[in-house]
Amino acid sequence: MSNSTAKPLKFDLVVIGGGPAGYVAAMKGRMAGFRVALVEKDKIGGACVNKGCIPTKALWGTAVHLQRLKDSEEHGVSIGKVVFDFAKAMKRQYGISAQMSLQIEGRMGRLGVNAFSGTARLVGRTKSGRFFRISVEGGKAPELTARHVLIATGSHPSESEPLMADHKKVLTTDDIIGIEKQPKSLLIAGGGVVACEFASIFSKFGTKVDLLEHSGQILSWMDPEIVDVMMGVYKRDEVNIHLHSKTKSIDRSGKGLKITIDKGGKDHVIEADMMLLAIGRRPNVKGIGLEEMGVKTTERGHIVVNESLETGCKGIYAAGDVIGGAMLAHKAWYDADIAVRAMAGEEVRTNYETVPGAIFTVPEMASVGITPEQARKNKKSIRIGKFEYRENAQALCVGKTLGMMKAVIDRDTGKVLGCSIVGHDASNIISEVALAMAAGLSVRDIANTIHPHPTLSEMVQESFLDTEGRSIHKF
């Protein structure tokens, strides 16, 4: 990133933070004709590219490959003993993250985004009151001024007693993607997306995995029938899921860890080489001058914005993890687009009803919209359709027959309300349903769309046909 003082000091937009919301807003701003500066204190790409989405999915890709090798015998392919090199797998994910960060930085440079290294802080307005003043500490950049500011400072891993990281044996999700030696045993605190992904990844690597979830279901917002399939996979892979469990204490005095947990009112001790804290994330809002500018935050620290993502201080916007909601890179991209369009004078509002979610376990899980249980709580009259992978031709051909797809429609209008999937390539399949929902399509629109054969995409058509009892290949 450039720290040159020769760059213009006066901008139309200054973006604070270079993660998914930040770098997309910077690029969108340039495309809208704005003079744009972006300030990032670490690496371009933020937590997603450097510590989250990309490193974990690189490791997930390795886990998928290991499973593929394990399954090769049924295809008539004998490969002998598989040797896994943990250090090489880790080195690979570092390289992928570095490549993506450089690609984003290069794209910003070609578009004419002025990128500065350092920590940005809002320090007031210019004398005219028309521009915001932003200082940049820790770098060579001078003070910047801008008509608009976008805060996209992201989030960091949560910790709370007794779940406090020492960054050696008790790790945050930032720490674990940097470890040098594979643990023989790993205890994961948390039952959300990140926890379940790492449980899959490390179990495929050969690590003994235990996972603690305080409620009665991992991935508590997901359809229970879909989660049950994944629970069966964890059982097969000898991942120990401890429901209704929470950590009471962590003994760090030995070579490994001794963790005392409360499981259903009874104490148990679990020994592990390492413990991963996957208990959520908190917004990065300290030290950026919010209070001085009158920008309000919630009790959990998220920046309060309206439907156009503008804060209570006119001209200052916020996007991504820092405003709460689904902490997903693609939601942050969407936020960035809405914010920049609002700055440009468009009448735009956010709508998060069709944000899809993908969970990179082995096999994958994905969802969009609402589950049947959520629909009933909202007193909606619904129809449900199901289709299993073992009924799909391509799934049979490639040997990926575990899983199912579940569709939800409005009984009266036929409108698509939601979909949940567990199985091979679920993260890619879900996009068709997200598009259908965003476009306000009905079950008939999906049913009348010709899907190529043999493909996994046929399951979308079949599951929605099944909501009306018209599936052809459901046996």
Side-chain angles (χ1 to χ4, degrees):
M1 289 186 288
S2 171
N3 283 309
S4 173
T5 56
K7 298 292 183 182
L9 298 178
K10 191 174 180 180
F11 297 94
D12 298 306
L13 168 62
V14 168
V15 179
I16 302 176
Y23 74 73
V24 170
M27 293 185 195
K28 293 272 187 179
R30 282 298 299 139
M31 292 174 185
F34 292 172
R35 292 167 297 172
V36 180
L38 180 146
V39 185
E40 168 56 48
K41 66 180 180 180
D42 199 349
K43 296 177 182 178
I44 290 293
C48 173
V49 171
N50 299 292
K51 298 177 182 178
C53 316
I54 302 309
T56 56
K57 275 48 175 189
L59 294 175
W60 168 81
T62 300
V64 169
H65 198 65
L66 284 168
Q67 184 63 50
R68 188 179 296 124
L69 293 173
K70 188 177 180 180
D71 295 338
S72 65
E73 194 73 37
E74 68 180 77
H75 293 272
V77 180
S78 298
I79 55 175
K81 185 180 179 181
V82 176
V83 178
F84 173 56
D85 187 331
F86 181 77
K88 195 169 185 178
M90 296 298 281
K91 183 178 179 181
R92 174 179 176 270
Q93 55 106 355
Y94 300 147
I96 293 170
S97 292
Q99 178 184 343
M100 287 205 66
S101 182
L102 285 172
Q103 286 175 181
I104 295 165
E105 191 170 345
R107 174 63 170 157
M108 287 200 304
R110 289 190 296 275
L111 284 171
V113 174
N114 295 268
F116 297 98
S117 293
T119 301
R121 181 182 177 87
L122 289 156
V123 293
R125 294 180 183 267
T126 58
K127 289 182 179 179
S128 67
R130 295 173 54 208
F131 295 88
F132 296 102
R133 295 169 50 226
I134 303 98
S135 68
V136 182
E137 300 172 4
K140 298 177 182 178
E143 185 174 280
L144 311 176
T145 64
R147 289 191 298 118
H148 303 289
V149 174
L150 179 77
I151 301 168
T153 45
S155 62
H156 62 276
S158 294
E159 299 176 59
S160 61
E161 290 289 355
L163 299 174
M164 302 299 293
D166 58 25
H167 310 292
K168 294 178 181 178
K169 291 188 289 186
V170 182
L171 311 174
T172 68
T173 50
D174 285 357
D175 298 325
I176 198 163
I177 55 99
I179 60 175
E180 296 179 355
K181 186 177 179 182
Q182 180 183 350
K184 291 182 179 179
S185 54
L186 175 68
L187 175 62
I188 301 174
V193 172
V194 176
C196 289
E197 288 180 345
F198 275 115
S200 265
I201 291 166
F202 275 91
S203 67
K204 297 301 179 187
F205 288 175
T207 295
K208 178 183 177 296
V209 177
D210 286 83
L211 183 148
L212 306 182
E213 164 56 38
H214 66 86
S215 72
Q217 178 184 301
I218 58 170
L219 305 167
S220 57
W221 66 94
M222 289 282 288
D223 187 301
E225 191 173 9
I226 296 296
V227 174
D228 281 347
V229 175
M230 197 64 220
M231 287 291 285
V233 173
Y234 283 138
K235 185 176 181 180
R236 181 197 69 191
D237 292 347
E238 298 183 340
V239 174
N240 300 309
I241 306 292
H242 305 271
L243 300 177
H244 302 292
S245 300
K246 60 182 180 180
T247 304
K248 290 186 71 176
S249 64
I250 305 171
D251 183 349
R252 313 169 193 235
S253 60
K255 186 177 180 181
L257 299 166
K258 289 184 179 180
I259 304 100
T260 301
I261 69 168
D262 179 331
K263 184 175 182 178
K266 295 182 179 179
D267 286 1
H268 298 266
V269 176
I270 298 175
E271 296 187 14
D273 290 341
M274 291 182 179
M275 184 175 189
L276 172 64
L277 309 182
I279 54 174
R281 299 182 68 85
R282 296 177 186 268
N284 294 326
V285 292
K286 292 183 178 179
I288 56 177
L290 298 184
E291 291 182 3
E292 292 87 339
M293 301 306 300
V295 175
K296 295 181 179 179
T297 57
T298 67
E299 288 184 5
R300 296 179 63 85
H302 296 110
I303 294 175
V304 177
V305 293
N306 62 20
E307 290 180 315
S308 298
L309 302 183
E310 191 171 25
T311 69
C313 181
K314 189 171 178 61
I316 298 179
Y317 294 74
D321 286 6
V322 78
I323 65 171
M327 291 190 171
L328 301 167
H330 47 280
K331 182 263 189 185
W333 294 342
Y334 171 77
D335 285 349
D337 182 62
I338 292 291
V340 172
R341 288 165 63 190
M343 293 174 200
E346 285 191 51
E347 293 288 336
V348 287
R349 294 181 178 181
T350 52
N351 179 359
Y352 297 124
E353 291 182 3
T354 59
V355 177
I359 305 172
F360 291 86
T361 45
V362 185
E364 300 162 47
M365 307 174 75
S367 65
V368 65
I370 58 177
T371 66
E373 185 179 11
Q374 290 163 349
R376 293 184 187 110
K377 283 183 179 178
N378 292 329
K379 296 182 179 180
K380 290 183 180 290
S381 179
I382 61 171
R383 282 197 175 106
I384 299 167
K386 301 177 186 179
F387 198 79
E388 297 192 26
Y389 272 68
R390 61 188 176 87
E391 299 168 314
N392 175 266
Q394 189 187 103
L396 287 164
C397 291
V398 300
K400 299 295 183 182
T401 56
L402 177 66
M404 67 177 295
M405 184 169 182
K406 195 169 181 179
V408 185
I409 68 165
D410 187 292
R411 177 182 290 274
D412 300 321
T413 66
K415 185 178 178 181
V416 178
L417 297 179
C419 179
S420 300
I421 314 172
V422 56
H424 177 61
D425 218 24
S427 62
N428 289 310
I429 299 169
I430 199 67
S431 292
E432 180 180 346
V433 185
L435 175 60
M437 290 183 65
L441 302 184
S442 71
V443 62
R444 292 299 174 92
D445 294 313
I446 292 177
N448 293 335
T449 299
I450 299 172
H451 290 69
H453 176 76
T455 64
L456 297 178
S457 70
E458 293 171 66
M459 292 191 295
V460 177
Q461 185 182 42
E462 294 281 7
S463 61
F464 280 95
L465 279 169
D466 190 51
T467 63
E468 297 181 330
R470 298 193 297 128
S471 172
I472 299 300
H473 297 97
K474 184 171 182 174
F475 304 117

